[in-house]
Amino acid sequence: MCSTCGCNQPADAVTITRIGGGIHSHAPFSALQYHLLVEEHNHNGHSHQPVTIELEQDILQKNNLLAQRNRGYFEAKRILALNLVSSPGSGKTALLERTINDLKQVMPIAVIEGDQQTTHDADRIAQTGAPVVQINTGKGCHLDSDMVLKAVRQLDPPNDSLLMIENVGNLVCPALFDLGEGGRVVIISVTEGDDKPIKYPDMFFSANLCIINKIDLLPYVPFDVEKAKSYALQVNPQLRFFEVSALHGQGMDKWYDWLKTQFAHFRDYQHIH
Amino acid sequence: MHELSIVLGIVDIAASTVQKANAHKVDRIELEIGELAGIETDALLFAWDTAIKNTVLARAKRDIHYVPGKARCLDCGELFDMHQLYDPCPKCNNYLNEIIQGRELKVKALTVS
């Protein structure tokens, strides 16, 4: 069953494609077959008296355990993984394209692209020369740690590198799913409402950095940068901000300085600061 | 709508618990959902009926315990009810708060047979 609407699309509709490396064809997820448990069976060796089991189990435990596994892998290989989250159309891919082109001589950068369909974004990233894997979630509205684990196996990023994970464009669902990243970057663009941070607080609550993109359009739109920042700080008082135009390059230097500092810090201490 | 992923996670937990207990089905499931957990209860209930079809939860009675959000102000120490992640301390208006409860998203108990 798909994870958005419950239609009968099987869970293995998720596909992971290494761009430039041929299509990976085996189904990464096995179908759920719970119906086996309710079929008729013999009762030798067990009874059906009701028993209450105090479980106290976190529903996200499975995702969180795999996320920690990813985190351990990234730490061991000194890979700084950043989870890039935003609404669709905020300019995540454009930000990545410019960042890779400007920093590829400074640090190795690999990319995982998450979208429901197509390899358009991964194809754009491949043009920069960076190794890239596309995850297509089918009907799914977010990446989870299992998809990232499988994508990382195909991508095999080098030691001492930066891994950019571009999540599915969605400001709600990805907030709950830890991927094992070292940091979370939320991107908003000035063509959106400046009250996004309190309309979608979960995403801003869980982010380390907020990039305000498309600032070259500020003269033409009613977006109030200070108001947006103040809303975001209400949700997350420790959030930091960079104002950039990924298309024209304004403000990108500060983002690059941040990346370089975090990259060096992560190699030494296995966390960002 | 990540709520369906959440329900599928619950189905997964229920199925593996039923299997471990050598049981057949779930009669009752107790969930704990925090006010600040990032889950829309209506969306969860909407997803529920579809997601539990043909699973061990198909005929289970569902009890949901809602956990109200509570936070402590990191400035003045005030303990207060937090309904939104951006609620400030009512005493000193500070936004730097530690959430004490309300982020829960748990399967609390299962009655299986």
Side-chain angles (χ1 to χ4, degrees), chain A residues 34 41 51-53 55 57, chain B residues 12 24 105 107-108 110-112:
Chain A
Y34 299 117
H41 59 281
V51 187
T52 298
I53 301 162
L55 211 55
Q57 186 174 336
Chain B
D12 230 341
H24 188 68
L105 196 53
V107 176
K108 211 171 152 48
L110 284 168
T111 304
V112 300

Side-chain angles (χ1 to χ4, degrees), chain B residues 35-74:
Chain B
E35 190 176 4
L36 306 170
I39 288 293
E40 205 50 63
T41 311
D42 287 346
L44 185 109
L45 298 182
F46 179 76
W48 186 268
D49 293 338
T50 317
I52 63 163
K53 266 181 204 156
N54 303 322
T55 75
V56 294
L57 284 170
R59 287 179 289 277
K61 182 177 178 297
R62 180 193 61 217
D63 287 326
I64 301 181
H65 303 276
Y66 296 100
V67 185
K70 278 198 194 307
R72 189 186 306 280
C73 174
L74 289 177

Side-chain angles (χ1 to χ4, degrees), chain A residues 230-243:
Chain A
S230 131
Y231 280 140
L233 287 171
Q234 289 178 17
V235 180
N236 180 353
Q238 283 152 337
L239 198 60
R240 296 179 61 186
F241 302 89
F242 294 124
E243 296 156 41

